[in-house]
Amino acid sequence: MDKLLIRGGTALRGEVAISGAKNAALPILCASLLAAEPLYLSNLPQLRDVSTMLRLLEQMGVEVVCHAPDMVSLNSRGLHNPLAPYDMVKTMRASILVLGPLLARHGEARVSLPGGCAIGARPVEQHIKGLQAMGAEVNVEHGYIHACCAADKGRLQGACIVTDMVTVTGTENLMMAAVLAEGETIIENAAREPEVVDLADCLISMGAQISGAGTDKIRIRGVERLHGARHSIMADRIETGTYLCAAAATGGEVRLTRTSAAYLDAVVDKLLDAGCDIVTERDAIRLKAPARLKAVSVRTSPYPAFPTDMQAQFMAINCVAEGSAVIRETIFENRFMHAVELIRLGADIRIDANNAMVTGVERLDGATVMATDLRASASLVIAGLVAQGETVIDRIYHLDRGYEKIEEKLRQLGARVERIR
Ligand code: EPZ
């Protein structure tokens, strides 16, 4: 397994381009199942999860053509195998996002239940409950979700769905199911994440009738069929936030391009509180770090509040900040796995249920640490960039799932990083 070797102590400087968003690309790739005409996608990030999703769609009969490293077209006119097998789903939970579109377009689907994951149990009962409200017959047997449209209807029916909690992929799955349903569907307590809006924009360009995406009430009027379209994936706000934190923690100065601060208000506010100077441009963002950051407390919550996918990175920057801070995780029940690894680098962190008290220390010291999930590995990269000496991060396949060419981008900013194959 690949490892990352980081020689810390260098302030990041310079410019780097941000890639397309993983969490927009994955549902949008699944939207290709909804039409029998080509969907052209650009600004597609080159990530492990994207490759997995493309392979999953191909084995269903979707024609995938790569036109450039970040551009593909998908055509599901030959869709014949509405199955998402366990071997693929176990490597990527987002595979659940084929359920809604397969049911809507093909009338049936067989999708492996995603198991638990390092950060929490992550059940999908809201996805199933919503599809049942639209008239789907759903059984869970032998680890698989078997779903089909009611025989007498042959098509999903519009419904009013209130989810018990805000769920991002739940909202996306139900939105994709509803675009071809008979009548109107209303999703209440919907997720407002920008990635949900990017998916809705893509679906609308395919002929869907959707209003209210980005609010907690989404209306979808079903249509007979969708057509082909072209869509450019939005910039990755979490990748953007991660590089801002890396620059802040190392005392650096960077300009991130092909992105914007548009969807990062909560993150930018906290970095300003920590003492950073931030200048936003139309499609770029600049950060200049202070000599030493001030500790900032954060509480994760659904968008537009502070994102849980930035929690680990802020734990890392608080490790070397002045003062103490409390990190409260309210979305996932087990998302502090990175804390014990950060402590191996000399951090002072005390965990009490879903609160972590971080007290800044003068310096971190390089060591060998292990990545446990995607964002946890990003926090270890940030800590390794700050730490004196060498840090070796094991199991970086987690990192490759969500960060495109991270060592090249960091080297572009002056970091001393190399991948050990
Ligand atoms: C999406 O996951 C993201 N993944 C996650 O990013 C992100 O952390 C999460 O939203 C929250 O922002 C993708 O978009 C592919 P949820 P998702 O359903 O949709 C509970 C990353 O690092 N819940 O919004 O799976 C659930 O257990 C990843 O890029 C149920 O109980 O998250 C959690 O506690 C990690 N039942 C909460 O709701 C359900 O049916 C929110 O989960 C659905 C969710």
Side-chain angles (χ1 to χ4, degrees), residues 22-23 26-27 93-94 97 119 121-127 165-170 172 193 237 308-309 331-333 335 374-375:
K22 168 180 81 78
N23 290 348
L26 296 177
R93 311 177 46 76
L97 286 162
I119 65 177
R122 303 182 71 182
V124 292
E125 88 289 343
Q126 298 300 310
H127 303 232
M165 78 292 292
V166 172
T167 161
V168 176
T169 51
E172 293 165 342
E193 268 67 4
R237 63 191 170 105
T308 174
D309 294 347
I331 307 246
F332 292 109
E333 66 272 24
R335 204 169 201 180
L374 170 57
R375 307 305 171 184

Side-chain angles (χ1 to χ4, degrees), residues 174-245:
L174 298 175
M175 193 162 68
M176 287 194 278
V179 293
L180 293 178
E182 192 159 352
E184 182 175 70
T185 297
I186 298 174
I187 305 175
E188 299 216 41
N189 197 25
R192 301 163 57 188
E193 268 67 4
E195 293 77 17
V196 172
V197 178
D198 203 33
L199 171 64
D201 289 348
C202 178
L203 292 168
I204 290 166
S205 71
M206 295 169 75
Q209 295 182 13
I210 302 173
S211 58
T215 74
D216 61 4
K217 191 169 184 172
I218 303 177
R219 275 177 197 279
I220 306 111
R221 174 154 291 286
V223 295
E224 287 295 324
R225 67 182 56 76
L226 296 185
H227 51 73
R230 290 177 183 279
H231 183 81
S232 180
I233 307 284
M234 65 177 285
D236 196 317
R237 63 191 170 105
I238 305 299
E239 186 192 19
T240 306
T242 303
Y243 281 97
L244 290 175
C245 283

